[in-house]
């Protein structure tokens, strides 16, 4: 749909509703399986950072997965407002996999695709940014999956 969702509230509520219909938020493992199906090696799919040789392009093809370059919403300026970043240049997508090594706050794996790039990024981010005004949720794209029966 191209809409951006925050992880802590919106994504989890929608995942619950989607689960009733057989859909769920993909795990980091789901993304790695997709990347491997598109040609990425297992060792490369396990790496952090920009990886792949053409998988990012395949994920953006309109007759394929059609991931959109929806950008993200994060804190802007001094932390007093939310800012739409990189729309049209990057697409950021949540996974449901929490990185347990982060102790200060909740952090999850995500994927990022880039306009005119053949690679896809795998990394970890916190689900919110801290400012003088408190915690502000980050917003990224969501792509649901359904298990084959």
């Amino acid at each position: 749909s191209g809409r951006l969702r925050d992880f802590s509230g919106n994504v989890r509520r929608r995942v619950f509703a989607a689960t009733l219909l057989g859909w769920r938020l993909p795990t980091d493992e789901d993304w790695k399986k997709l990347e491997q199906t598109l040609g990425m090696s297992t060792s490369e799919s396990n790496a952090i950072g920009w990886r792949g040789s053409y998988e990012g392009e395949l994920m953006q093809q309109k007759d394929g997965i059609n991931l959109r370059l929806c950008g993200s919403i994060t804190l802007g300026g001094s932390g007093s407002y939310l800012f739409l970043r990189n729309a049209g240049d990057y697409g950021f997508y949540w996974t449901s996999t929490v990185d347990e090594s982060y102790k200060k706050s909740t952090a999850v794996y995500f994927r990022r695709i880039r306009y005119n790039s053949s690679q896809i990024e795998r990394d970890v981010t916190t689900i919110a940014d801290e400012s003088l005004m408190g915690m502000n949720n980050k917003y990224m794209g969501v792509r649901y999956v359904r298990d084959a029966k």
Side-chain angles (χ1 to χ4, degrees):
S1 71
R3 292 188 180 131
L4 302 175
R5 310 269 185 227
D6 70 301
F7 187 84
S8 59
N10 211 325
V11 167
R12 290 188 182 187
R13 276 192 306 277
R14 291 189 178 274
V15 165
F16 175 75
T19 300
L20 298 175
L21 301 171
W23 295 89
R24 62 180 175 78
L25 190 64
T27 64
D28 186 51
E29 286 300 316
D30 291 327
W31 277 96
K32 289 192 284 189
K33 286 178 189 173
L34 172 61
E35 292 161 351
Q36 291 168 26
T37 298
L38 295 175
M40 191 180 292
S41 71
T42 301
S43 62
E44 194 170 21
S45 72
N46 287 322
I48 296 291
W50 289 99
R51 310 111 61 249
S53 54
Y54 53 82
E55 296 79 6
E57 283 183 49
L58 293 175
M59 290 185 182
Q60 295 177 60
Q61 289 180 352
K62 292 191 186 323
D63 59 347
I65 300 169
N66 194 20
L67 291 181
R68 297 182 182 180
L69 302 172
C70 54
S72 67
I73 297 176
T74 57
L75 285 175
S78 62
S80 59
Y81 61 92
L82 294 176
F83 180 67
L84 175 62
R85 303 172 62 100
N86 302 308
D89 295 321
Y90 292 96
F92 297 80
Y93 291 88
W94 292 114
T95 76
S96 63
T97 305
V98 174
D99 183 344
E100 301 295 338
S101 69
Y102 277 71
K103 302 299 180 199
K104 184 178 176 184
S105 62
T106 302
V108 297
Y109 285 89
F110 72 96
R111 291 302 188 281
R112 177 166 54 163
I113 57 171
R114 164 172 62 194
Y115 175 73
N116 208 22
S117 174
S118 57
Q119 294 186 310
I120 184 167
E121 183 183 29
R122 174 180 180 252
D123 211 339
V124 176
T125 187
T126 56
I127 64 171
D129 290 322
E130 189 172 358
S131 73
L132 297 174
M133 304 180 86
M135 295 302 287
N136 293 284
N137 293 336
K138 292 179 182 176
Y139 292 75
M140 292 190 208
V142 174
R143 200 61 186 258
Y144 295 107
V145 296
R146 184 173 11 193
D147 294 321
K149 295 182 180 182

